[in-house]
Amino acid sequence: VGDNVGDVAGMGADIFESYVGSVIATIAIAATSPLFPDASRVAAISLPIVLIIVGLLASLVGIAMMKVLERTSPASALRNTTFIAAGLFLIASYFVVTRMNVFAGTTEYGAAGPFWALLSGTLVGILIGVVTEYYTAARPIRRIAKASETGSPTNIIAGLAAGVESVVLAVGLLRAATSVFFALRLLRR
């Protein structure tokens, strides 16, 4: 049990480090990028921190919703709280982004420019979570279990195949989100 706790704590620390690193990088880009007019540079620098606060509040509401959804199955309760928190985050972040208007004075991006990146990233994150849930609790698991009836080699091959399939879908979703975001950006020109 102690080893598992250590593994989970380590993974949590890695995720937190990546999260903080991406926030610091965003702030550094906002501080040095010529895309932001000097009048809105402070807003651009503070936008990531404000969005973190919005995300934290939306997450707390999602956690509180577990009490409401406790009578449903655990899997659907977890899934629905994710949807609720993401929806609240997207609604609130739209107002935050348009109100802060980090691209004030530029014509290339609208006031909601950063919101579209938030929208595509949030939707793809949720879809990756749904794909992960499918590959860890649905038909692929039964297929791996069936393969284990004939021996270890077929079990290993079935597990590797399921792992590759799941990664291909996740990468495809990331690619689609990036492509859609850039296509929308090109349409604005």
Side-chain angles (χ1 to χ4, degrees):
V1 173
D3 190 39
N4 288 339
V5 171
D7 289 347
V8 171
M11 287 187 292
D14 290 344
I15 291 171
F16 182 72
E17 178 191 16
S18 298
Y19 182 65
V20 170
S22 66
V23 170
I24 291 170
T26 306
I27 291 170
I29 289 169
T32 59
S33 176
L35 288 174
F36 301 107
D38 289 335
S40 65
R41 189 164 307 277
V42 172
I45 291 169
S46 62
L47 181 62
I49 302 296
V50 174
L51 289 173
I52 287 171
I53 294 167
V54 168
L56 179 62
L57 294 174
S59 296
L60 290 173
V61 171
I63 291 168
M65 291 304 296
M66 281 302 288
K67 202 70 175 151
V68 175
L69 299 170
E70 69 184 353
R71 288 187 173 82
T72 63
S73 72
S76 64
L78 287 171
R79 188 179 326 106
N80 290 332
T81 56
T82 299
F83 296 156
I84 291 166
L88 290 173
F89 171 72
L90 288 173
I91 291 167
S93 66
Y94 177 79
F95 290 109
V96 166
V97 167
T98 55
R99 182 84 169 131
M100 291 183 80
N101 195 10
V102 296
F103 290 111
T106 65
T107 57
E108 186 172 354
Y109 303 96
F115 173 75
W116 303 118
L118 287 169
L119 176 68
S120 64
T122 302
L123 293 179
V124 167
I126 288 172
L127 289 174
I128 288 174
V130 170
V131 167
T132 301
E133 183 180 342
Y134 171 75
Y135 276 94
T136 57
R139 192 173 58 161
I141 294 300
R142 290 189 289 278
R143 191 173 55 211
I144 294 168
K146 181 79 173 153
S148 68
E149 293 174 358
T150 58
S152 297
T154 54
N155 185 8
I156 292 170
I157 291 169
L160 285 173
V164 170
E165 285 175 25
S166 68
V167 170
V168 167
L169 282 173
V171 170
L173 287 168
L174 288 171
R175 183 185 180 283
T178 305
S179 298
V180 167
F181 180 72
F182 278 107
L184 290 173
R185 183 176 172 268
L186 291 175
L187 289 176
R188 287 191 50 87
R189 288 186 175 188

